[in-house]
Amino acid sequence: MPPNKRQKLSKPEEKVSNDEESLSGNESEVSFGEDEEMDSISGSESSQPDEDDEIEGMTRQKSKQTSKRKIRATAGTKFGATLQFLLNTETPSTLPLSLKPSIARKRNDEKLEQRAKKVLQVEKKEKEDKARIKDVIGGWGGESERALRKVAQRGVVKLFNVIQQSQASITAATEDAKANRGSGKPTLPAPMIETKGKSKGKNKDNIIGRGKESKCLSNLTLLNIFLTLKISLLLETPTYAAAMVNIQRLLFSFLSSTLPSQVPLHYEQEAVSRKSVAIVGAGSAGLAMLKTFTELDTFVNNSWEVVLFEEREHVGGVWLPDYNDVHPPEIPETPLYPLLHTNTPVPSMAYPGFPFPPGTPLYPSHEYIEAYHRRYAQHYKLLDYISFNHKIQQATWSGSPENGYWNLTVTNAAGHIFHKKFDHLVVASGNHHIPRIPVWKGQDKWLSNAPQNQTRKILHSVYYRKPEAFTGLNVLIVGNGASGRDAASQILDFATTTVVSVRHDGDPLEGVIIKPEISHFTADEIVFVDGTTYSPDVVLLGTGYEQRKPFLTAGGELAVDPAARNNSDKLVTNLKYIFPLYRHILSLSPSYPTNALAFIGLPTFIANCPSDIAQSLFAAHAIINPSILPSRQKLLKELEAYEAYVRANGRDPYINGHQMLTKIESSDYQDELVEFLKDMNAIPRDGKKFVEEWRRDIFEYQYLKRGWKRIEELGTGQDWTKGVRTESQWADLMKRVNDWQKRWEDANGIEFRADMDLVGYFGNQWT
């Protein structure tokens, strides 16, 4: 087969000539519609040697491995000379190359299309302007009159914008309601605009006309005020006063004839089409109730609606940090401080069946607990039912002791107020928000008698954030609860002296001075009940929190009476104890059914998350099936018997609040709630107790906390928690750490010290 012939390269002169022809042929097309002509490009001719002749002159040899002819590479000297020649050639012309004919035609078509669009837009605008009235108050002249006309015109435009937005929001809300109908997700009506200071009587001076009030009257009144103020600023002489009145009359006459007959600026309340439950608070208690309720068959079958209102931006409750610098009298959203660690082991704090992930420390910082609650909400798909940044302002029962509904007044993130009806209300808003601040005789005199260039403070622990703030100060901490002891241990390294005033004997901290209760204040110092004195710069109160539910009190459903000491025929709080409540859960107020109002998370001295689930199970089944509950009278008698039992054991619920008496009672309380449901066939019997044995054993691990502290000091925490996933593995870890620490303390002759957080002093209770 003959070898393929090598094609000859085009000569430079011919290439330039062809380019010039192409350029001259396209020049007229490119210049169509342009203001400037394009110059033809003249390229410089190349004087390079003919490469074909050079190739032909080469001697060719046959390859040893094939019969095909191959061209040897040019000699090094010739190749270098060629490169040098190319480098010495003149720079080509910088003029742009001509466009191809197809590109030029496309470009011209686009320009024509743009011109056509502009013409169409102008014609469309002219047609629209023919039917548009730009001047609603015409026929006026003069600078001042034109200014008045512009003010009125802007007012009309603003009014119609408000009307249009209102109608659009109603349409959107209606479509959303139709789309979500039957989905089981919360559906809220459009917000109702509240007018503060609204008169209860009828408005007899209706501007538009006497008779029924127009629903847009509030906006017209605002517009009237707006125009009056604006026009009064523009008036230059008293003669314009009459003109101002004429402007208002003309404007409102125009509005009354052009506005639609119904402008829905106030929204009618959506009727309750199916049974509904509102939950307040997305902390551990609220999440437990929401998860429990959404797993019930009646909810899954789409016969119930549930909405959880949370006034903050995410779940977690007290574990969600508040990074704002808040000072009295404003109250922080949480008492959480940056150095906070749990005072009980995390397995005891976990929801049943949902343990903490591997690697979590036994006594972790607050970030772990916050992340745990988020994982819980995401895992069980609870976020779809939560309305964040929604605060309940008021809850009022409308109806009789047998039937009715809760009318909730809610403020959303934008500050808009709306109302929503619910058949049942569950309060899970937590117990650590409104601080309990005791007052002692003489404290005002002590505060005002500070030494020169110094200040004295009495501050509740809800405001405590960093121990560095107490550097160089003499600090008195009141209370030996968890927050008081934790603050004392942190402040100790910064304060000059640290004193703790306690009501009960407790485990003293090394370096902290223990004092009894405060008797009174003098101008210079604080006197304790044993007669000793101390002159601090700051008094930090670890005195707990008041049992208040402001939205219930605002609605007239929870009376506040600090002196109350016995049961009542209405729901009352004495700021320590809410009563009458059956099992600390169901309100026994005669104003509504016994399952209409429930509380989750009130008991203290108890593991929160597990007990929240037990309470939620009881409340949820009581809500969907009230027939499982005895009569109100029987429930009241059982409550009275329980309160007598507490008093017989040396406590008073009206003083000690919703505390569990002992570690045994805290577990039995949860078991009894679940057993009641089993007895009523509300849930199936499984032959197990609700509180597992390993949870009960935690109270016996008196060496656990000290053991984990030593493990962290050794830096081996991850080695202990690695791969610990299941509840049984966490239970085994706690037992191993407790036994390990006990052996070490026994071997070193260390005197036994009880863990105060396990024997009944945990929680911020000042009793």
Side-chain angles (χ1 to χ4, degrees):
M1 181 176 179
N4 295 331
K5 292 184 179 181
R6 182 181 180 89
Q7 295 181 354
K8 289 187 177 182
L9 299 175
S10 300
K11 294 182 179 181
E13 294 83 0
E14 295 177 356
K15 183 176 181 180
V16 173
S17 176
N18 292 337
D19 289 342
E20 290 177 351
E21 291 178 2
S22 174
L23 177 62
S24 61
N26 296 335
E27 184 177 353
S28 61
E29 296 182 10
V30 174
S31 62
F32 179 81
E34 298 288 342
D35 295 332
E36 297 179 359
E37 294 183 354
M38 295 183 64
D39 297 331
S40 61
I41 301 175
S42 58
S44 60
E45 293 184 357
S46 174
S47 58
Q48 297 180 14
D50 192 339
E51 294 180 0
D52 288 324
D53 295 338
E54 184 179 345
I55 293 173
E56 290 295 335
M58 289 182 175
T59 58
R60 305 185 182 187
Q61 295 181 357
K62 191 172 182 178
S63 173
K64 295 180 180 180
Q65 299 179 359
T66 179
S67 60
K68 293 183 179 181
R69 295 181 178 274
K70 292 192 175 182
I71 304 172
R72 287 187 177 183
T74 305
T77 56
K78 292 184 178 181
F79 184 72
T82 303
L83 289 178
Q84 185 64 34
F85 174 79
L86 293 174
L87 291 174
N88 293 333
T89 56
E90 296 181 359
T91 305
S93 174
T94 58
L95 294 176
L97 295 176
S98 174
L99 296 175
K100 293 182 180 180
S102 60
I103 298 177
R105 285 193 296 270
K106 183 178 179 181
R107 183 175 178 182
N108 292 332
D109 292 342
E110 290 176 352
K111 290 182 178 180
L112 287 174
E113 186 177 355
Q114 290 177 358
R115 288 184 177 181
K117 286 182 178 180
K118 289 182 179 179
V119 173
L120 292 175
Q121 289 177 355
V122 172
E123 292 178 354
K124 183 179 179 181
K125 189 174 185 302
E126 290 177 352
K127 291 180 180 180
E128 291 176 349
D129 289 341
K130 288 181 180 180
R132 180 176 296 167
I133 301 175
K134 296 182 179 180
D135 190 357
V136 296
I137 308 177
W140 290 15
E143 293 297 330
S144 298
E145 292 173 343
R146 278 196 293 272
L148 295 176
R149 182 177 57 187
K150 289 181 180 179
V151 171
Q153 182 173 327
R154 285 196 295 268
V156 174
V157 172
K158 288 185 178 181
L159 176 60
F160 276 101
N161 287 340
V162 171
I163 295 171
Q164 186 178 13
Q165 291 172 3
S166 300
Q167 292 173 336
S169 63
I170 290 177
T171 303
T174 303
E175 294 298 326
D176 290 341
K178 291 180 180 179
N180 293 331
R181 189 169 297 162
S183 65
K185 296 183 180 181
T187 56
L188 298 179
M192 177 179 290
I193 300 176
E194 294 288 334
T195 304
K196 295 184 178 180
K198 182 178 179 181
S199 175
K200 294 182 179 180
K202 293 184 178 179
N203 189 352
K204 298 180 180 180
D205 190 12
N206 193 335
I207 299 176
I208 295 181
R210 300 190 183 275
K212 294 184 178 180
E213 294 184 17
S214 171
K215 292 187 178 181
C216 62
L217 180 58
S218 59
N219 272 5
L220 293 180
T221 305
L222 292 175
L223 181 59
N224 184 18
I225 297 172
F226 168 77
L227 291 177
T228 302
L229 292 175
K230 284 287 187 179
I231 293 171
S232 63
L233 293 175
L234 295 171
L235 295 181
E236 297 179 357
T237 63
T239 58
Y240 281 94
M244 180 180 69
V245 177
N246 291 332
I247 292 171
Q248 294 173 351
R249 289 179 179 176
L250 178 60
L251 174 62
F252 288 112
S253 175
F254 169 78
L255 292 176
S256 62
S257 62
T258 57
L259 284 177
S261 58
Q262 290 185 349
V263 182
L265 297 181
H266 290 267
Y267 304 100
E268 297 296 333
Q269 183 57 251
E270 183 182 89
V272 179
S273 58
R274 53 180 175 159
K275 291 292 184 179
S276 54
V277 179
I279 305 172
V280 183
S284 62
L287 294 179
M289 183 64 192
L290 182 59
K291 185 256 185 184
T292 301
F293 204 89
T294 53
E295 290 183 345
L296 295 177
D297 291 338
T298 53
F299 179 82
V300 175
N301 294 334
N302 202 29
S303 59
W304 283 78
E305 175 190 7
V306 60
V307 181
L308 189 152
F309 294 100
E310 169 55 48
E311 66 177 285
R312 302 186 66 190
E313 67 277 8
H314 217 292
V315 302
V318 71
W319 297 103
L320 185 62
D322 178 8
Y323 297 105
N324 297 316
D325 188 15
V326 179
H327 301 279
E330 185 180 356
I331 301 176
E333 293 181 327
T334 173
L336 183 72
Y337 44 92
L339 296 179
L340 177 65
H341 285 63
T342 65
N343 59 334
T344 52
V346 290
S348 68
M349 302 172 62
Y351 291 107
F354 195 80
F356 279 78
T360 304
L362 271 180
Y363 294 85
S365 62
H366 62 86
E367 291 89 353
Y368 286 89
I369 313 302
E370 179 194 356
Y372 175 80
H373 284 88
R374 294 198 181 206
R375 287 179 54 246
Y376 187 81
Q378 293 168 355
H379 179 79
Y380 291 105
K381 298 178 174 58
L382 304 180
L383 298 177
D384 291 340
Y385 305 99
I386 303 177
S387 295
F388 291 107
N389 297 305
H390 281 63
K391 183 176 182 179
I392 307 298
Q393 302 288 355
Q394 181 175 304
T396 305
W397 176 258
S398 298
S400 65
E402 291 78 25
N403 293 291
Y405 59 87
W406 289 99
N407 187 15
L408 302 187
T409 303
V410 188
T411 303
N412 62 16
H416 296 154
I417 299 175
F418 65 92
H419 301 283
K420 177 72 175 175
K421 295 178 181 178
F422 289 92
D423 297 289
H424 303 271
L425 178 62
V426 179
V427 179
S429 53
N431 305 319
H432 300 87
H433 182 60
I434 301 176
R436 182 185 301 143
I437 302 178
V439 178
W440 290 275
K441 180 181 178 181
Q443 71 177 36
D444 291 337
K445 188 176 182 180
W446 175 81
L447 286 169
S448 60
N449 195 42
Q452 190 175 5
N453 299 326
Q454 294 184 19
T455 58
R456 289 173 172 173
K457 294 181 180 179
I458 298 178
L459 199 65
H460 194 274
S461 61
V462 72
Y463 299 98
Y464 173 75
R465 290 298 179 265
K466 296 180 179 180
E468 293 85 351
F470 300 88
T471 301
L473 301 178
N474 296 309
V475 182
L476 171 63
I477 299 173
V478 180
N480 196 33
S483 62
R485 293 199 312 276
D486 209 16
S489 64
Q490 296 175 16
I491 292 173
L492 184 63
D493 295 332
F494 296 91
T496 301
T497 59
T498 305
V499 176
V500 177
S501 171
V502 300
R503 176 172 290 184
H504 304 285
D505 293 335
D507 186 19
L509 294 171
E510 185 177 354
V512 173
I513 303 172
I514 302 297
K515 290 287 186 179
E517 292 182 72
I518 295 175
S519 171
H520 61 277
F521 286 64
T522 67
D524 300 316
E525 56 191 5
I526 296 175
V527 182
F528 301 98
V529 293
D530 63 353
T532 59
T533 61
Y534 180 58
S535 182
D537 301 302
V538 179
V539 177
L540 185 63
L541 304 176
T543 50
Y545 298 83
E546 295 181 347
Q547 275 292 2
R548 291 182 183 266
K549 307 299 175 185
F551 56 91
L552 288 176
T553 302
E557 304 298 340
L558 178 63
V560 178
D561 183 4
R565 289 294 184 272
N566 52 40
N567 234 315
S568 173
D569 59 352
K570 61 181 179 179
L571 195 63
V572 180
T573 176
N574 64 1
L575 305 182
K576 296 181 180 180
Y577 186 55
I578 298 177
F579 56 92
L581 295 180
Y582 179 67
R583 301 289 184 100
H584 309 282
I585 300 174
L586 297 180
S587 171
L588 299 181
S589 169
S591 301
Y592 36 75
T594 53
N595 68 343
L597 176 61
F599 293 81
I600 306 295
L602 288 181
T604 58
F605 293 5
I606 194 170
N608 290 336
C609 291
S611 65
D612 291 338
I613 291 291
Q615 296 169 62
S616 298
L617 283 168
F618 183 85
H621 284 280
I623 287 173
I624 64 172
N625 184 15
S627 64
I628 67 175
L629 297 174
S631 65
R632 178 182 281 106
Q633 289 72 22
K634 188 173 182 179
L635 296 178
L636 283 170
K637 288 183 179 180
E638 186 174 336
L639 173 60
E640 292 173 358
Y642 171 75
E643 292 177 350
Y645 162 76
V646 173
R647 292 188 183 96
N649 284 271
R651 296 288 185 96
D652 187 345
Y654 294 87
I655 297 176
N656 301 108
H658 299 275
Q659 293 180 3
M660 297 288 103
L661 286 176
T662 64
K663 57 189 178 183
I664 297 176
E665 187 198 11
S666 66
S667 298
D668 291 346
Y669 167 74
Q670 301 172 61
D671 287 339
E672 290 170 1
L673 291 175
V674 178
E675 285 299 319
F676 173 84
L677 297 177
K678 293 178 180 178
D679 292 340
M680 302 305 297
N681 296 320
I683 59 177
R685 290 191 173 276
D686 54 4
K688 301 178 182 178
K689 289 188 175 182
F690 177 78
V691 180
E692 302 95 326
E693 284 300 321
W694 66 265
R695 291 186 185 272
R696 294 174 179 266
D697 294 340
I698 292 176
F699 293 104
E700 306 301 327
Y701 296 153
Q702 297 294 323
Y703 299 87
L704 180 61
K705 192 172 185 179
R706 294 193 298 275
W708 184 255
K709 182 179 180 181
R710 190 160 68 94
I711 287 173
E712 288 189 324
E713 291 173 351
L714 295 173
T716 59
Q718 286 293 326
D719 297 334
W720 285 80
T721 60
K722 184 178 180 180
V724 179
R725 298 179 181 275
T726 65
E727 290 180 334
S728 60
Q729 290 173 336
W730 279 107
D732 177 69
L733 173 64
M734 289 188 293
K735 186 177 186 305
R736 287 190 290 115
V737 172
N738 184 78
D739 294 344
W740 174 76
Q741 179 66 15
K742 183 179 185 302
R743 290 193 300 269
W744 183 82
E745 291 187 8
D746 291 344
N748 288 273
I750 298 176
E751 184 180 356
F752 171 75
R753 291 179 294 122
D755 186 346
M756 300 303 296
D757 292 319
L758 293 179
V759 298
Y761 287 97
F762 52 89
N764 278 346
Q765 298 295 327
W766 188 66
T767 59

